[in-house]
Amino acid sequence: MRITHLGHSCLLVEAAGARVLIDPGAFSTDWHGVTDLDAVLITHQHPDHVDPDHAPALLEANPQALVYTADDVAQAVTLPGAVPLTPGEQIQVGGLTINAVGGDHAVIHADIPRIHNLGYVLHAEGEPVFFHPGDSLQAVPGDAAPTGVDVLALPIMGPWAAMKEQVEFVRALGVPEVSIPIHDELLSDRGRELLNRQIGNLTGTEIVSLRGGGSREF
């Protein structure tokens, strides 16, 4: 499995003969021009996860790509051919099995209505189990929490999260071997370094930063 960080929450996952792009949002341009995709996964409707101005062009350039979203994304963005998913559904993309988990976006403020949010668990025989949670740090029993996660895409900063929640999220998942920091565009370099170090020290997960278009095989 090769994972490339294309800015903020956008990751390209290449495994089991499939190329899957997750959350091409407006906080990054690194994913513009990506081709040969087999699938595009959208966790939720916020523009930092699906860019309403540029995502349609991405799909035009990848007409073969399957598109899956949370079931209320169409209220905010028009993505031709997109298939809405609900938690508990399973799809197949090439040799990859993808499970949709979660349900709701983390609470930003009591005065802001919650929207739906899907996490995606990607796995295949002989590959690590990878989990992208979107904007939610909920992984408690009864919430269809994924198990056996080897590589976690870990949101390290948002107006809906604090470091204590990120630490407990990593622990609740059984401390994945590797955590890749995402959702980091609201941070300075010093802030990223601080959070990465503290979360790694408190949980034991190996923090692997791929910021700047970095790739790594797992």
Side-chain angles (χ1 to χ4, degrees):
M1 177 177 287
R2 174 175 289 275
I3 300 176
T4 306
H5 189 190
L6 297 176
H8 198 51
S9 285
C10 185
L11 296 175
L12 175 64
V13 181
E14 299 170 275
R19 283 168 53 87
V20 178
L21 189 71
I22 306 174
D23 279 1
F27 282 14
S28 171
T29 60
D30 293 351
W31 54 269
H32 292 189
V34 172
T35 56
D36 298 322
L37 294 174
D38 296 292
V40 178
L41 307 179
I42 308 297
T43 63
H44 63 283
Q45 64 180 246
H46 286 160
D48 60 320
H49 293 259
V50 55
D51 183 345
D53 294 326
H54 295 96
L58 173 76
L59 301 186
E60 288 180 10
N62 291 274
Q64 74 287 349
L66 304 169
V67 184
Y68 297 99
T69 73
D71 60 6
D72 58 356
V73 168
Q75 298 173 6
V77 184
T78 299
L79 300 174
V83 177
L85 297 177
T86 56
E89 288 195 69
Q90 184 180 91
I91 56 176
Q92 199 76 25
V93 177
L96 273 178
T97 300
I98 303 174
N99 293 88
V101 300
D104 292 317
H105 192 285
V107 174
I108 302 172
H109 189 276
D111 293 346
I112 299 177
R114 294 179 76 178
I115 59 171
H116 291 171
N117 176 90
L118 291 179
Y120 294 105
V121 182
L122 284 63
H123 54 98
E125 185 175 356
E127 301 279 5
V129 177
F130 169 74
F131 179 33
H132 190 306
D135 280 7
S136 175
L137 298 177
Q138 188 174 15
V140 297
D143 189 50
T147 57
V149 175
D150 301 302
V151 182
L152 170 66
L154 177 62
I156 61 169
M157 202 288 166
W160 43 269
M163 191 186 75
K164 62 182 182 294
E165 297 168 312
Q166 291 144 351
V167 168
E168 294 309 315
F169 180 61
V170 171
R171 290 175 176 173
L173 290 172
V175 185
E177 181 178 348
V178 171
S179 293
I180 300 170
I182 62 168
H183 210 279
D184 59 349
E185 284 301 318
L186 297 178
L187 286 168
S188 67
D189 288 340
R190 287 183 178 178
R192 293 185 187 92
E193 181 182 353
L194 171 64
L195 287 173
N196 290 344
R197 183 175 66 252
Q198 291 281 50
I199 294 169
N201 288 342
L202 287 168
T203 65
T205 190
E206 179 187 1
I207 301 293
V208 175
S209 176
L210 299 178
R211 181 170 169 78
S215 294
R216 178 163 165 176
E217 291 188 358
F218 298 94

